[in-house]
Amino acid sequence: MEVFLDYTLYRNLLNDDFCDKVAESFKDNSIYAPHEVGDWHRINKGSLYTEILENFSPVIPHNFTVKQIHVSEYNKGDSLSNHRDPKSSLTIVSEISSAVRGGRFIINKDTYIELNKGDVVTLNGSKTKHGVETIEEGSRLSLNIWMLPDVSLF
C-alpha cells in the first residue's frame, strides 16, 4: 500500500482469477448504463456483487455503504476527462484487464498512474479530480465502486 496526499494505491490487491471472472461475467450480471465516454455496466445485486464486496473488504471502511458498483469499458480512442464523483465520498477504482496501451489513471490533472491488472486506487471522489488518459491500443476494463458514509451509524 502506498499512501499519498489525495489517494491510496494498492498494487496487486485483486488476484488474476477474480479479475478474469469479473471481466468475463460482468455483462451477464449488470445493466448497461450508457455514458458519454466508454460503456458503463452497473452490477446487479447478486452473487457477483457479493463477491466483489468480499474481495474489496480490505479497503472498505465499516462505516461506508455502497452507492454503486460498475464496470467501465474504454476502447481505443476513449478517455475520461478529469472530473469529480459528486455522489461518492469514497471512490474505488480497480484495473481488471491487461494488455492496454495508454489509459493511465489521472489524479488532479498532473499525476499519472499506470494501473496493472489487480491494482486498486482509493480516493475521495467528491473532492479529488480524476480521469483516464486516451486509450492508444486495446481495451481497459475498470471495476469501480462509489461509496458514501453510512449516516445511520452516526
Side-chain angles (χ1 to χ4, degrees):
M1 173 175 63
E2 300 172 58
V3 179
F4 300 91
L5 182 62
D6 294 321
Y7 66 96
T8 303
L9 175 62
Y10 302 84
R11 294 283 183 196
N12 298 307
L13 180 73
L14 307 173
N15 67 49
D16 281 354
D17 289 341
F18 172 74
C19 292
D20 292 343
K21 179 178 182 177
V22 175
E24 292 166 7
S25 66
F26 75 90
K27 288 185 180 178
D28 294 332
N29 293 280
S30 66
I31 298 170
Y32 177 64
H35 192 262
E36 62 265 14
V37 179
D39 292 330
W40 287 23
H41 300 267
R42 289 189 184 157
I43 304 295
N44 300 323
K45 289 195 176 185
S47 60
L48 182 61
Y49 184 97
T50 301
E51 189 172 350
I52 289 168
L53 292 180
E54 288 170 358
N55 277 271
F56 282 90
S57 64
V59 299
I60 297 176
H62 74 279
N63 57 343
F64 274 72
T65 58
V66 174
K67 178 77 176 157
Q68 178 177 305
I69 299 175
H70 66 271
V71 172
S72 303
E73 185 175 16
Y74 301 94
N75 296 302
K76 184 177 179 178
D78 290 341
S79 64
L80 183 61
S81 62
N82 278 316
H83 66 283
R84 291 182 181 100
D85 301 329
K87 298 179 182 178
S88 178
S89 296
L90 175 60
T91 295
I92 302 170
V93 177
S94 61
E95 183 65 28
I96 59 170
S97 61
S98 56
V100 64
R101 198 172 80 217
R104 292 180 298 177
F105 190 69
I106 307 167
I107 302 271
N108 291 327
K109 297 184 181 180
D110 60 1
T111 301
Y112 290 78
I113 304 169
E114 186 78 40
L115 293 178
N116 299 308
K117 186 177 183 180
D119 291 348
V120 174
V121 173
T122 62
L123 56 111
N124 183 331
S126 65
K127 292 185 178 179
T128 304
K129 285 191 172 186
H130 55 284
V132 176
E133 78 173 344
T134 303
I135 305 295
E136 297 172 16
E137 184 177 298
S139 293
R140 179 182 192 265
L141 291 177
S142 297
L143 176 58
N144 309 294
I145 304 174
W146 292 351
M147 304 192 77
L148 292 170
D150 186 348
V151 294
S152 67
L153 296 175
F154 297 104

